[in-house]
Amino acid sequence: MEIKSVKDYEGIIDATKTSLKAKQLAAQLIPRFFKFFPNLSSRALNAHFDLIEEEDLAVRVQAIRGLPLFCKDTTEYISKIVDILGQLLTAEEFVERDAVHKALMSVLRQDVKESLTALFKHIWNVEDPGQDDTIRDKVLCFIRDKVFPLKAELLRPQEEMERHITDLIKKSLGDVTGAEFRMFMDFLKGLSIFGEKVPPERLKELIEIIEGQADLDAQFDVLDADHIDRLISCLFMAIPFFVRGASGSRFLNYINKHILPVFDKLPQE
């Protein structure tokens, strides 16, 4: 089906307010011909976003599948589309969630840098009262299960994109659980920029991340079980980097100054 005139495209946009069959057709055609009608871009996007909230599952899934097409030739929409797809990761229906995963992977392959930045914003905005923790958790799971395993394919050019995702992760560490921190560290130490042959100076960055998580600037409280747990797990995480030549002086200073003098008072467990 060819759409050549503005009037035809406006007709497709208007079809989003009519029957179910028309809505399904509109969900296919709006993104397909989007690039040809820049003056109608705002109307087209809003109409398509309405289809994503339709009650009918088939219409929603068709609309989700069309989202990557909006960014194919008009890259300024990548951030917006990824933001919406990130929110849709909470979908309950399997077929809908599967469509979201595939759409996100499609946009990531189009522009990995812009897409990852937009995706990580769902992790950063923890202080935002409008931010839903469920969305943050789903985005973290998506990054862990779908993005990290494909790092060799997605992170191209390698050094530039490994640097970029490292910066995104560092920005995400302000409010993470112990498990989330370990997940991020496991990923970072698998990147080639922190690989076996890099000089010890390069490992300094990873040690500084672990030091930040261990909270080595905090006054030590012998009864603060959470901080003690965090210190122990961060020390274990840092040891392989010390073995490779990274400096452990800040950890040693902290142990000498804060922990050894009160060692006898530490809780038994």
Side-chain angles (χ1 to χ4, degrees), residues 140-164:
L140 272 170
C141 289
F142 178 81
I143 289 169
R144 180 193 68 204
D145 299 338
K146 305 288 182 182
V147 177
F148 285 177
L150 292 178
K151 66 180 183 209
E153 174 196 337
L154 290 173
L155 301 181
R156 297 273 171 215
Q158 188 179 36
E159 186 162 349
E160 180 195 333
M161 286 313 306
E162 286 191 354
R163 180 73 264 157
H164 181 63

Side-chain angles (χ1 to χ4, degrees), residues 23-64:
K23 286 174 181 177
Q24 272 187 284
L25 187 62
Q28 292 177 51
L29 298 180
I30 288 174
R32 193 187 303 172
F33 295 99
F34 178 73
K35 64 179 178 181
F36 301 115
F37 302 99
N39 293 338
L40 292 173
S41 61
S42 184
R43 267 183 70 190
L45 279 170
N46 288 334
H48 197 85
F49 295 158
D50 285 344
L51 293 176
I52 288 166
E53 295 176 7
E54 267 291 319
E55 278 185 40
D56 185 78
L57 177 63
V59 172
R60 291 203 308 273
V61 168
Q62 189 64 59
I64 289 164

Side-chain angles (χ1 to χ4, degrees), residues 82 85-86 89 101 104-105 108 112 115-124 135-151 154-155 165-166 168-169 172 180 183-185 187-188:
V82 171
L85 285 166
L89 284 169
H101 287 174
L104 262 173
M105 292 309 297
L108 275 161
V112 68
S115 302
L116 280 174
T117 305
L119 207 50
F120 267 86
K121 280 179 184 167
H122 285 292
I123 303 170
W124 302 337
I135 295 173
R136 180 185 176 279
D137 293 346
K138 294 291 184 188
V139 168
L140 272 170
C141 289
F142 178 81
I143 289 169
R144 180 193 68 204
D145 299 338
K146 305 288 182 182
V147 177
F148 285 177
L150 292 178
K151 66 180 183 209
L154 290 173
L155 301 181
I165 200 168
T166 299
L168 293 176
I169 287 171
S172 307
E180 289 165 0
M183 172 192 85
F184 280 136
M185 286 308 300
F187 174 70
L188 287 175

Side-chain angles (χ1 to χ4, degrees), residues 22-262:
K23 286 174 181 177
Q24 272 187 284
L25 187 62
Q28 292 177 51
L29 298 180
I30 288 174
R32 193 187 303 172
F33 295 99
F34 178 73
K35 64 179 178 181
F36 301 115
F37 302 99
N39 293 338
L40 292 173
S41 61
S42 184
R43 267 183 70 190
L45 279 170
N46 288 334
H48 197 85
F49 295 158
D50 285 344
L51 293 176
I52 288 166
E53 295 176 7
E54 267 291 319
E55 278 185 40
D56 185 78
L57 177 63
V59 172
R60 291 203 308 273
V61 168
Q62 189 64 59
I64 289 164
R65 285 175 181 156
L67 285 172
L69 288 172
F70 286 111
C71 345
K72 200 163 183 193
D73 300 286
T74 41
T75 52
E76 67 265 33
Y77 295 109
I78 284 176
S79 192
K80 176 78 177 162
I81 297 300
V82 171
D83 177 49
I84 287 165
L85 285 166
Q87 295 174 53
L88 291 171
L89 284 169
T90 57
E92 290 176 9
E93 296 282 354
F94 172 78
V95 65
E96 190 172 1
R97 215 165 47 249
D98 186 56
V100 173
H101 287 174
K102 284 176 176 156
L104 262 173
M105 292 309 297
S106 174
V107 182
L108 275 161
R109 287 186 171 100
Q110 286 174 40
D111 187 331
V112 68
K113 191 171 191 177
E114 188 82 23
S115 302
L116 280 174
T117 305
L119 207 50
F120 267 86
K121 280 179 184 167
H122 285 292
I123 303 170
W124 302 337
N125 296 338
V126 282
E127 301 301 324
D128 181 352
Q131 174 71 352
D132 184 344
D133 275 350
T134 316
I135 295 173
R136 180 185 176 279
D137 293 346
K138 294 291 184 188
V139 168
L140 272 170
C141 289
F142 178 81
I143 289 169
R144 180 193 68 204
D145 299 338
K146 305 288 182 182
V147 177
F148 285 177
L150 292 178
K151 66 180 183 209
E153 174 196 337
L154 290 173
L155 301 181
R156 297 273 171 215
Q158 188 179 36
E159 186 162 349
E160 180 195 333
M161 286 313 306
E162 286 191 354
R163 180 73 264 157
H164 181 63
I165 200 168
T166 299
D167 292 340
L168 293 176
I169 287 171
K170 283 166 75 172
K171 205 171 168 182
S172 307
L173 297 176
D175 187 5
V176 288
T177 65
E180 289 165 0
F181 184 68
R182 280 191 295 278
M183 172 192 85
F184 280 136
M185 286 308 300
D186 285 345
F187 174 70
L188 287 175
K189 69 186 186 191
L191 295 177
S192 65
I193 58 170
F194 301 116
E196 288 298 326
K197 297 194 169 63
V198 302
E201 304 83 70
R202 183 72 70 83
L203 300 178
K204 182 171 182 275
E205 184 174 5
L206 293 181
I207 288 294
E208 283 172 354
I209 293 171
I210 299 171
E211 288 169 352
Q213 191 67 14
D215 210 0
L216 298 184
D217 294 320
Q219 185 60 40
F220 184 70
D221 175 359
V222 78
L223 298 175
D224 185 349
D226 281 347
H227 190 203
I228 295 168
D229 275 351
R230 199 158 69 245
L231 269 169
I232 292 168
S233 71
C234 286
L235 256 174
F236 274 111
M237 231 178 272
I239 285 170
F241 302 117
F242 299 151
V243 171
R244 288 170 61 188
S247 167
S249 60
R250 276 200 72 200
F251 272 105
L252 280 172
N253 289 341
Y254 194 86
I255 290 167
N256 283 333
K257 185 178 171 185
H258 293 279
I259 298 175
L260 291 182
V262 294

